[in-house]
């Protein structure tokens, strides 16, 4: 019987078997059943093949000659194809890592808009010209970097095509995209959509594999940039490998432990869905999820009771199939993710007060009840470390100064949310919060035109999306003309 999905690497616009001979398995997180036992893992020779294909496409052939308008046409065609194949894409993600298709769709709908946005930029890569002073005429033009590798987390793989592949291609680079070992099917499927859109061979390549494959990319002497999304630990290793090899550029989008602050004058009808559904989207497996909640003491009893009740209502649907479009909450991604989260919950039961959840739901698959801890001890892991699961930690505060200090008392700095009807206070606090994005009266919302990235150890200062993301995939060249 023909396979239901592609499991081979996508290099040079063809599906090829890995020369490494290695494969990996993926299991359906709803029940642990085998989804695929033969996902091809890229080894050294495979990564070399992908780099050779991407290098050739960058230096020779149609892509190297293609103008920005034509690159834009191809990006627009991919956007159309992605839209037409959206259901298949999200089904493949859901099978591998359990995201409910309804949630997946709400994010995936935005992806074509990113490609169309960057298609518009592809023929507008303007430079700068300076007045001819000191006998020379000077200008700066922006050029692509060359072969760019993207290494990604598994939680919303297709969002990373939008954040990474779209701007990289608009700028004229060629791309090798490594999907996460936890969710490789959607990425492999996307390969043929890029070919069908008309991207020449070697321009977009997909490889699969785990940390070892990622390391081969990070250490490769012919790759000019790694655009990385994942944990702080792995990001640090990528930066080291890049430094030890060819000092390639590294963009790091890393973890978070983001605060949400609810002041006494907040509109709770608006805040509660953001704090509950917004946080539990994708089972809390979102880098920017507001997993530390600070509530003003005057409203804390009421708000905590409402959140407990809301979590418990959401929990009733836990265990339903993620392939059912009405399911909101799915399992966590796999057994490793499940074990990590359950360890944090066990620690939380000792260092904080559990008010709801805290258990596996059912006895198959990796469903974890939406969980709330309150009053954690200040050194507890549930308060200080990223859990990347459906576990919310709540503290009450008295003053604005105090809550700003607590919110910033972390090495993370990805996102924050502030709920208040007082706009002056909202802007004052937003300015003092050490994070790359701040939502006022809203959970984090990615947008194609605004910058996304982390302060402190949530990143290394680079930004994705908008013109900020585009510039990350280009380098400036200054040209002087000496006037005679
Ligand atoms: P991870 O760091 O384990 O893996 C991310 C990717 O890096 C995977 O493709 C993995 O194979 C690869 N990898 C692992 N070790 C590597 C190494 N030594 N060298 C090269 N590549 C390596 O993270 P994860 O479990 O996939 O994702 C969860 C983490 O990602 C969380 O910390 C989350 O906050 C973060 N994340 C950040 C963002 C963001 O935009 N800031 C978005 C989503 C997820």
């Amino acid at each position: 019987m023909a396979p239901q999905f592609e499991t081979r690497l996508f290099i040079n616009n063809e599906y090829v078997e890995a020369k490494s001979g290695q494969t990996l398995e993926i299991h359906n997180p709803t029940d642990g059943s085998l989804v695929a036992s033969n996902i091809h893992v890229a080894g050294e020779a495979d990564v070399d093949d992908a780099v050779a294909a991407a290098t050739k496409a960058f230096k020779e052939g149609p892509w190297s000659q293609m103008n920005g308008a034509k690159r834009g046409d191809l990006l627009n065609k991919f956007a159309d194809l992605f839209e037409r194949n959206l259901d298949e894409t999200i089904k493949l993600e859901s099978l591998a890592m359990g995201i409910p298709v309804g949630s997946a769709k709400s994010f995936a709908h935005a992806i074509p808009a990113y490609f169309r946005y960057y298609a518009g930029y592809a023929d507008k890569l303007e430079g700068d010209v300076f007045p001819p002073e000191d006998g020379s005429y000077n200008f700066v033009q922006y050029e692509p970097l060359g072969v760019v590798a993207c290494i990604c987390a598994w939680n919303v793989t297709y969002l990373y095509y939008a954040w990474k592949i779209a701007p990289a291609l608009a700028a004229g680079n060629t791309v090798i995209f490594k999907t996460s070992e936890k969710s490789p099917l959607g990425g492999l499927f996307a390969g043929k959509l890029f070919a069908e859109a008309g991207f020449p061979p070697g321009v977009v390549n997909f490889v699969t594999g785990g940390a070892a494959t990622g390391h081969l990319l990070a250490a490769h002497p012919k790759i000019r940039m790694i655009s990385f999304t994942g944990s702080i630990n792995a990001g640090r290793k990528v930066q080291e490998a890049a430094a030890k090899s060819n000092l390639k550029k590294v963009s790091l989008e890393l973890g978070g432990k983001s605060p949400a602050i609810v002041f006494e004058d907040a509109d709770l009808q608006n805040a509660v869905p953001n704090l509950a559904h917004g946080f539990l989207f994708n089972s809390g497996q979102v880098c920017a999820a507001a997993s530390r909640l600070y509530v003003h003491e005057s409203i804390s009893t009421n708000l905590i009771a409402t959140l407990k009740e809301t979590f418990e209502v959401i929990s009733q649907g836990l265990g339903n199939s993620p392939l059912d479009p009405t399911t909101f909450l799915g399992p966590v991604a796999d057994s490793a993710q499940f074990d990590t989260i359950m360890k944090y919950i066990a620690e939380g039961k000792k260092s904080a007060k559990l008010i709801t959840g805290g258990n596996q739901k059912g006895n198959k698959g990796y469903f974890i009840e939406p969980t709330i801890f309150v009053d954690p001890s200040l050194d507890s892991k549930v308060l200080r470390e990223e859990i990347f699961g459906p576990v919310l930690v709540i503290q009450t505060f008295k003053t604005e100064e105090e809550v700003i200090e607590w919110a910033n008392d972390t090495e993370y700095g990805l996102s924050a949310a502030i709920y208040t009807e007082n706009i002056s206070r909202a802007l004052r606090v937003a300015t003092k919060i050490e994070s790359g994005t701040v939502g006022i009266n809203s959970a984090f919302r990615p947008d194609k035109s605004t910058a996304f990235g982390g302060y402190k150890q949530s990143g290394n200062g680079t930004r994705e999306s908008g013109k900020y993301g585009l510039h990350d995939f280009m380098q400036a060249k200054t040209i002087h003309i000496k006037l005679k």
Side-chain angles (χ1 to χ4, degrees), residues 218-236:
H220 203 285
K222 295 275 173 59
I223 290 175
R224 295 295 161 201
M225 175 180 176
I226 299 285
S227 176
F228 178 85
T229 293
S231 62
I232 290 179
N233 277 346
R236 190 171 274 121

Side-chain angles (χ1 to χ4, degrees), residues 164 225-229 239 249-254 414 436 451-456 458-465 468-469 471-473:
K164 299 175 188 296
M225 175 180 176
I226 299 285
S227 176
F228 178 85
T229 293
Q239 183 112 47
K249 183 174 182 178
V250 177
S251 129
L252 298 177
E253 299 300 339
L254 307 175
L414 197 55
F452 178 65
Y455 277 33
K456 300 194 269 191
S458 287
N460 63 347
T462 54
R463 294 291 179 265
E464 299 198 294
S465 294
Y468 319 92
H471 273 268
D472 214 28
F473 290 100

Side-chain angles (χ1 to χ4, degrees), residues 10-16 49-50 52-54 56-57 200-206:
F10 185 79
I11 298 175
N12 230 359
N13 276 4
E14 284 177 357
Y15 287 105
V16 293
D49 285 353
K56 189 161 182 238
V203 175
V204 186
N205 308 275
F206 282 86

Side-chain angles (χ1 to χ4, degrees), residues 152 154 160 178 181 211 214 228-231 234 253-255 287 386 452:
C152 293
W154 41 268
Y160 309 128
K178 188 191 89 60
E181 61 276 31
F228 178 85
T229 293
S231 62
E253 299 300 339
L254 307 175
C287 54
E386 182 185 41
F452 178 65

